Amino acid sequence: MTTATAILQMICPDKPGLVRELSGWVAANGGNIVHADHHSDQGAGLFLSRIEWQLEGFGLPREAICPTASALAERLGGQYKVNFSDVRPPVAIFVSKQDHCLLDLLWRTRTGELPMQVPLVISNHPDLGALAEEFGARFAHVPISAANREEAEARHLELLAEHGIELVILAKYMQVLTPAFLDSFDPPDAFHRVINIHHSFLPAFQGAQPYHRAWERGVKLIGATGHYVTEQLDGGPIIAQSTVPVGHRDEVPDLIRLGRDCERLALARAVRLHLKRQVMVYRGRTAVFA
Ligand SMILES: Nc1nc2c(c(=O)[nH]1)N[C@@H](CN(C=O)c1ccc(C(=O)N[C@@H](CCC(=O)O)C(=O)O)cc1)CN2
């Protein structure tokens, strides 16, 4: 039976002795480190660190860990996040009409494979309400168009605040989130809070109808990309990708069918890596400490 752990993610200017400094901070408080991953980006002069230690026997109570880590981050001039392995954060799933990613995420949550809770599903169509409620989630139908985008996103933010949502997953949500929404829910820093599944092996086939264009191009591999969401459409830091071979006998419907499998896998993998605190963003890209 694994015991609960704490996870410290730190990103700061690189300098000698940071590994000793960070692991020393855990050891000084009696912590038994179970995982330690680091990466130095020479070009950016940045140091990224993920340290995980057992809470059992640790000298600081949970509520003291964040303030103490904050002081350490300040001293290093860095950004940090502290999370606990036994906490399942509340997550909202946004969806339009396609159900394959929503159903997959709700099922993986029910089986415990994804350590999260899904109290809220938001959609710009009513179609998937019954499915969401079957899994115990509140379903909010918020129609959206160019005419009411600001009002609709204000309603989104109200619902997210009401449920204390810590992560938004766009599981085939076919509306572009505005900079205002992202600035409000996911202000730009090293720790992102919105994940999207894109229906192609980025950077190939950005935009609409990727499978038709892939068929026309005659590609031999198609795929899907789980990425953090930024203002730049399809341009956010990539977390996970999945591909599948295709052949000349595969028509567009076959590519769409095979693509759905890739979308489910890439999104579930991206969400799991995020929830395990194994992803850090720097320079528009990710370090994945899997
Ligand atoms: N700020 C961002 N918002 C969203 C992103 C993103 O990368 N940044 N990804 C999309 C998902 N997506 C591709 O993966 C995507 C969805 C929708 C569109 C689009 O052009 N939508 C049209 C409306 C289409 C419709 O009504 O069916 C639009 O918004 O005007 C492009 C890409 C999710 N949001």
Side-chain angles (χ1 to χ4, degrees), residues 165-210:
I165 297 301
E166 295 178 22
L167 174 68
V168 163
I169 303 171
L170 308 182
K172 305 303 285 178
Y173 181 69
M174 305 318 282
Q175 292 294 318
V176 177
L177 303 182
T178 66
F181 176 92
L182 291 171
D183 284 346
S184 177
F185 182 75
D186 190 9
D189 66 15
F191 304 100
H192 288 241
R193 304 206 313 158
V194 184
I195 292 174
N196 176 57
I197 184 63
H198 181 78
H199 37 226
S200 84
F201 185 54
L202 288 173
F205 304 114
Q206 294 186 35
Q209 302 223 311

Side-chain angles (χ1 to χ4, degrees), residues 222-236:
I222 60 166
T225 303
H227 65 90
Y228 285 122
V229 166
T230 61
E231 295 175 16
Q232 191 197 348
L233 191 55
D234 308 332

Side-chain angles (χ1 to χ4, degrees), residues 18-249:
L18 283 171
V19 173
R20 186 191 64 233
E21 186 139 11
L22 289 162
S23 53
W25 175 80
V26 175
N29 290 290
N32 175 30
I33 293 174
V34 289
H35 294 293
D37 295 283
H38 313 289
H39 175 66
S40 278
D41 183 282
Q42 311 292 327
L46 281 176
F47 178 79
L48 290 79
S49 169
R50 178 191 187 276
I51 299 181
E52 184 170 1
W53 67 95
Q54 291 172 332
L55 280 167
E56 194 178 342
F58 191 58
L60 291 176
R62 273 188 200 225
E63 59 281 5
I65 295 175
C66 231
T68 317
S70 173
L72 175 64
E74 187 150 352
R75 195 155 48 75
L76 299 175
Q79 297 177 54
Y80 80 101
K81 263 266 191 278
V82 170
N83 285 286
F84 301 102
S85 64
D86 58 351
V87 172
R88 294 183 305 121
V91 171
I93 301 177
F94 283 47
V95 65
S96 288
K97 289 187 174 182
Q98 297 177 58
D99 66 357
H100 60 286
C101 287
L102 171 67
L103 187 53
D104 185 81
L105 291 173
L106 291 171
W107 181 76
R108 291 178 195 261
T109 302
R110 177 181 280 178
T111 64
E113 186 185 320
L114 292 177
M116 61 184 196
Q117 313 165 52
V118 184
L120 180 63
V121 172
I122 293 177
S123 180
N124 56 324
H125 298 288
D127 307 51
L128 299 176
L131 172 60
E133 287 160 1
E134 240 178 75
F135 283 81
R138 173 184 178 179
F139 180 77
H141 173 209
V142 183
I144 191 166
S145 66
N148 79 332
R149 202 173 290 277
E150 194 176 336
E151 181 199 337
E153 289 195 340
R155 178 63 183 145
H156 292 160
L157 291 168
E158 195 178 53
L159 288 161
L160 296 175
E162 186 184 333
H163 291 270
I165 297 301
E166 295 178 22
L167 174 68
V168 163
I169 303 171
L170 308 182
K172 305 303 285 178
Y173 181 69
M174 305 318 282
Q175 292 294 318
V176 177
L177 303 182
T178 66
F181 176 92
L182 291 171
D183 284 346
S184 177
F185 182 75
D186 190 9
D189 66 15
F191 304 100
H192 288 241
R193 304 206 313 158
V194 184
I195 292 174
N196 176 57
I197 184 63
H198 181 78
H199 37 226
S200 84
F201 185 54
L202 288 173
F205 304 114
Q206 294 186 35
Q209 302 223 311
Y211 298 119
H212 291 75
R213 289 154 51 213
W215 183 85
E216 280 150 15
R217 185 69 185 80
V219 299
K220 302 309 174 196
L221 266 182
I222 60 166
T225 303
H227 65 90
Y228 285 122
V229 166
T230 61
E231 295 175 16
Q232 191 197 348
L233 191 55
D234 308 332
I238 292 170
I239 308 169
Q241 295 184 289
S242 171
T243 61
V244 64
V246 295
H248 60 281
R249 293 194 182 87

